[in-house]
Structures are given as C-alpha cells and as structure tokens.
C-alpha cells in the first residue's frame, strides 16, 4: 500500500472525524445501525468519498431508508463545516447490510 502524503493524511483525519460523529448520531437515532464505514480514493477526493451506514438486517435497513436523505444532508453539512463541498450529496452516503469485509 502506498504511503499517504501530508495532504492525504489531513483528508483522512477530516473524514474520520466526520464519520465518527455521524456514526455516534446514527447509532443513537437509528435502530439497528451497527457502524459507519467509508471508501475513498484520496487522489479523487472529495468526489470519491462514499460513507456507508451498516445495518443488522434487511428489516432494519428498510425501516431506515426513508431517512436516507436526511443523513445525506447531515454528511454534506458536516463536510461543508470542514471546508469540503460535496457537489452531489446523494452520491456520498448510502445504507447497506454489507460490512467493510464483504
């Protein structure tokens, strides 16, 4: 794995901060949410950022789906506070039952 540059390390710290805060909020507000995890290609940041809220099963996922837009807006607002503009907020957060290892 290639070593991250100083800029990429700052981007990573920013993403971890936002993801950790959203994860804590999500676990408190959404029944069945297990964790928040993300994928990013730092050379294409912020366009390549994708956060995923992982749920226990399909039932908890289906119950949470109506709130997806609200959480996408929260991600966009949190990133904007850090100085990062997400052009299409709907592309950067999704709900899933899959974990980071699947």
């Amino acid at each position: 794995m290639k070593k991250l540059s100083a800029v990429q390390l700052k981007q990573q710290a920013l993403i971890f901060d936002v993801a950790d805060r959203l994860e804590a909020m999500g676990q408190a507000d959404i029944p069945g949410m297990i964790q928040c995890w993300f994928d990013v290609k730092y050379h294409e940041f912020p366009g390549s950022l994708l956060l995923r809220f992982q749920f226990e099963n399909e039932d908890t996922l289906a119950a949470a789906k109506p709130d997806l837009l609200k959480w996408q807006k929260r991600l966009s607002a949190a990133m904007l506070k850090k100085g990062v503009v997400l052009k299409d907020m709907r592309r950067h957060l999704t709900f899933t039952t899959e974990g980071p290892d699947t």
Side-chain angles (χ1 to χ4, degrees):
M1 183 172 194
K2 193 172 149 183
K3 189 175 178 182
L4 297 177
S5 71
V7 170
Q8 291 169 332
L9 289 172
K10 286 181 183 180
Q11 292 170 343
Q12 184 182 52
L14 179 145
I15 296 167
F16 272 119
D17 180 51
V18 169
D20 287 345
R21 282 193 283 120
L22 286 178
E23 180 180 57
M25 288 170 45
Q27 288 172 334
D29 294 349
I30 308 172
M33 184 188 153
I34 299 172
Q35 67 179 341
C36 173
W37 55 280
F38 68 89
D39 285 327
V40 67
K41 294 178 183 147
Y42 291 102
H43 62 282
E44 296 175 6
F45 180 80
S48 66
L49 176 65
L50 178 59
L51 260 69
R52 293 178 177 93
F53 279 16
Q54 181 183 349
F55 289 86
E56 293 173 354
N57 54 45
E58 290 296 330
D59 294 335
T60 56
L61 175 65
K65 275 284 190 195
D67 289 335
L68 178 58
L69 181 60
K70 173 176 77 174
W71 287 95
Q72 290 169 334
K73 287 179 181 179
R74 286 182 180 178
L75 169 62
S76 182
M79 294 299 283
L80 188 59
K81 283 182 182 177
K82 299 283 186 177
V84 177
V85 176
L86 299 178
K87 290 183 180 178
D88 183 3
M89 68 180 175
R90 294 172 192 260
R91 290 186 40 228
H92 298 284
L93 186 130
T94 187
F95 290 173
T96 184
T97 55
E98 297 176 6
D101 299 327
T102 52

